[in-house]
Amino acid sequence: MAGPKTLLVLENFINGKFVPCPSYIDSYDPSTGDVYCRVPDSGKEEVEVAVTAARDAFLGWSSKSPQERSQIMNKLADLIEHDLEAFAQAESKDQGKTITFARTVDIPRAAYNFRFFASSVLHHTTECTQMDHMDCMHYTMRTPVGIGIPPGVVNIVFGTGPKAGRAIVSHPDVPLISFTGSTLTAQHIRERSAPHCKKLSLELGGKNPAIIFEDANLDQCIPTTVRSSFANQGEICLCTSRIFVQRSIYNEFLKRFVEEARKWKVGSPSDPTSSMGALISKEHLEKVKNYVKKARAEGARILCGEGVDSLVLPTGNQNGYFMLPTVIAEVKDESCCMQEEIFGPVTCVVLFDTEEEVIKRANGVKYGLAATIWSSDVGRVHRVAKRLQAGLVWTNCWLVRELNLPFGGMKASGIGREGAKESYEFFTEVKTITIKH
């Protein structure tokens, strides 16, 4: 008779060493509902040790040349690519996403990001001006705010928001916070960090619209919009959750869109034929399902997915946190399903008549992260893109990223931007130096 499985026990990584923690939290495999790992439940003490290690390592690391830091970042990319499959397996098991998504998107992107910034760090220039009548020269330089690789440069402290998170954002020796997550959590971060005047970069939620005009190429639009709605179980901040379709093509779009959504296979993350895996947690699955229940109670139509179609799962995944791609129609703009970020495989399809109308309705939420426009009219594309309240606007495509360009949202979708120039400016302080001859 086989004995119980040995759980993976994670440790914090502080000052170049793995360090055990006095207490731990259970972590569940979303695809089975079973505990597969124990994560440190760190608090103020662990954060203090990590901050001290970082502060001590800062002087040596920040004095390294751009060339040295570039070599280290490229080496990190090499190491990620060398163990790509192991990282992909770990990411899939932890998040519930398909192994295919982790293998082809998440992990390769991580390596690419290191290589991109390893290159860009070599090409930043400073500004210099002459004042001959004053016998002065001015120049600017950038000094690092945060730190990076030898012992103490990178420290990983696991824990919950109320304990480890609060200790980090409240610590006087942590000069800046870069956070990706919910708008509500970001509000707590701003409150806790405000007394210390910390620099903040907050990449938050979205309620992203897709605007589909009557001249859209539906053969391209429909499969892409299905993907933008349900990729990674809809657990991407850039996913489409409001689809506005012009009246003349509304019925055709809806019919074809639902047909395509039903083709997406929900199953074991390790199955290469699965289009979607499991949602991140049991609690989140219930939250997403409740949005569908609210929509039905308000009189909306559920065209496919939750409560309409049967979800068939392999034996080993019966207790996992799975949900079918769900399409809601005839939902009012003021409904919570049209106003609040669901962050799951749920999208709402509504019709519109005029360009002016759809711009107003697309902007009628508190978020402003991303938007997608589908049209063959170049003039219309430019007009609408200019007026949409979104940090990113894609036309006739989705999730085409270029790291040289700014990334981020407006309104409740965040503060600041990421990107080559933007990240460089956020993670450094600018200093102006004047020298009189």
Side-chain angles (χ1 to χ4, degrees):
M1 182 176 178
K5 292 183 179 179
T6 303
L7 292 179
L8 172 67
V9 179
L10 299 185
E11 294 179 328
N12 291 325
F13 185 73
I14 300 175
N15 205 23
K17 298 178 180 179
F18 288 101
V19 182
C21 188
S23 60
Y24 288 83
I25 308 166
D26 287 339
S27 181
Y28 293 81
D29 180 341
S31 71
T32 64
D34 297 327
V35 175
Y36 87 98
C37 175
R38 307 203 73 213
V39 180
D41 184 17
S42 304
K44 188 175 181 180
E45 295 77 12
E46 289 78 16
V47 169
E48 186 63 47
V49 175
V51 171
T52 300
R55 187 174 58 233
D56 293 344
F58 177 72
L59 182 61
W61 174 248
S62 61
S63 65
K64 288 185 180 293
S65 69
Q67 289 75 16
E68 289 176 296
R69 282 178 277 140
S70 177
Q71 289 173 355
I72 290 173
M73 285 191 285
N74 273 315
K75 179 62 175 177
L76 281 170
D78 291 340
L79 293 171
I80 291 172
E81 290 173 344
H82 181 269
D83 290 322
L84 188 149
E85 184 60 26
F87 281 120
Q89 294 284 347
E91 176 71 0
S92 174
K93 194 172 189 66
D94 183 61
Q95 298 288 308
K97 65 181 62 181
T98 66
I99 185 66
T100 302
F101 196 93
R103 186 185 291 134
T104 59
V105 178
D106 292 295
I107 310 308
R109 186 72 186 191
Y112 173 79
N113 285 6
F114 276 112
R115 293 206 192 282
F116 177 87
F117 286 104
S119 173
S120 66
V121 74
L122 301 176
H123 304 294
H124 288 293
T125 58
T126 59
E127 298 175 359
C128 179
T129 58
Q130 291 284 138
M131 292 181 66
D132 293 333
H133 65 290
M134 294 288 290
D135 289 331
C136 284
M137 177 183 73
H138 308 276
Y139 67 92
T140 62
M141 66 176 294
R142 288 277 176 176
T143 57
V145 178
I147 45 87
I149 300 302
V153 171
V154 172
N155 301 283
I156 300 172
V157 179
F158 295 94
T160 62
K163 287 179 64 178
R166 178 178 294 184
I168 291 171
V169 300
S170 304
H171 201 290
D173 290 332
V174 176
L176 58 79
I177 304 292
S178 177
F179 171 76
T180 299
S182 73
T183 301
L184 181 60
T185 302
Q187 291 173 353
H188 291 300
I189 291 174
R190 294 185 72 176
E191 292 167 2
R192 296 287 173 179
S193 64
H196 305 286
C197 298
K198 297 176 188 284
K199 293 175 71 175
L200 297 176
S201 177
L202 306 174
E203 199 272 280
L204 309 177
K207 194 65 184 171
N208 310 309
I211 301 174
I212 302 168
F213 289 97
E214 58 191 358
D215 60 347
N217 181 335
L218 293 187
D219 290 338
Q220 295 178 3
C221 170
I222 289 173
T224 302
T225 307
V226 169
R227 183 169 62 89
S228 72
S229 300
F230 306 124
N232 199 48
Q233 304 76 244
E235 294 174 320
I236 303 175
C237 58
L238 299 167
C239 272
T240 300
S241 55
R242 295 180 298 147
I243 304 173
F244 295 89
V245 186
Q246 204 154 19
R247 186 179 295 272
S248 63
I249 62 168
Y250 177 79
N251 289 333
E252 180 190 359
F253 175 89
L254 202 57
K255 179 177 180 293
R256 292 174 59 181
F257 186 80
V258 170
E259 288 174 353
E260 286 295 316
R262 280 197 163 117
K263 292 178 184 177
W264 272 47
K265 179 182 176 181
V266 178
S268 170
S270 61
D271 183 349
T273 67
S274 293
S275 305
M276 279 174 36
L279 276 71
I280 187 66
S281 70
K282 183 178 181 179
E283 294 78 10
H284 185 58
L285 174 63
E286 289 305 312
K287 175 185 174 182
V288 175
K289 286 184 174 182
N290 280 333
Y291 275 105
V292 181
K293 291 178 183 176
K294 290 177 183 178
R296 183 180 285 110
E298 292 171 349
R301 281 200 302 146
I302 315 303
L303 300 183
C304 68
E306 177 63 23
V308 175
D309 301 310
S310 298
L311 175 58
V312 180
L313 294 169
T315 304
N317 300 107
Q318 296 291 324
N319 295 322
Y321 316 134
F322 295 89
M323 182 175 174
L324 290 166
T326 301
V327 180
I328 303 175
E330 298 173 20
V331 58
K332 297 178 181 178
D333 285 1
E334 59 269 23
S335 166
C336 63
C337 289
M338 287 286 281
Q339 292 291 320
E340 299 174 17
E341 183 180 43
I342 299 175
F343 209 65
V346 177
T347 195
C348 299
V349 185
V350 295
L351 62 80
F352 75 92
D353 288 297
T354 67
E355 182 180 310
E356 191 68 27
E357 169 205 343
V358 77
I359 292 171
K360 182 178 180 180
R361 292 171 65 191
N363 289 338
V365 294
K366 67 179 181 178
Y367 297 102
L369 183 55
T372 307
I373 303 169
W374 290 89
S375 174
S376 58
D377 184 332
V378 176
R380 171 188 279 159
V381 164
H382 286 288
R383 287 194 308 270
V384 176
K386 182 178 181 180
R387 295 182 60 191
L388 288 177
Q389 296 170 351
L392 303 97
V393 180
W394 285 291
T395 298
N396 300 326
C397 63
W398 176 71
L399 207 60
V400 178
R401 290 283 310 279
E402 165 54 62
L403 286 182
N404 271 308
L405 302 179
F407 171 86
M410 54 184 67
K411 301 197 289 188
S413 288
I415 297 174
R417 293 292 187 270
E418 299 171 4
K421 179 174 178 289
E422 290 71 24
S423 296
Y424 176 64
E425 291 177 349
F426 177 70
F427 287 104
T428 60
E429 292 284 9
V430 66
K431 180 185 295 185
T432 300
I433 299 171
T434 300
I435 300 175
K436 182 175 175 60
H437 298 297

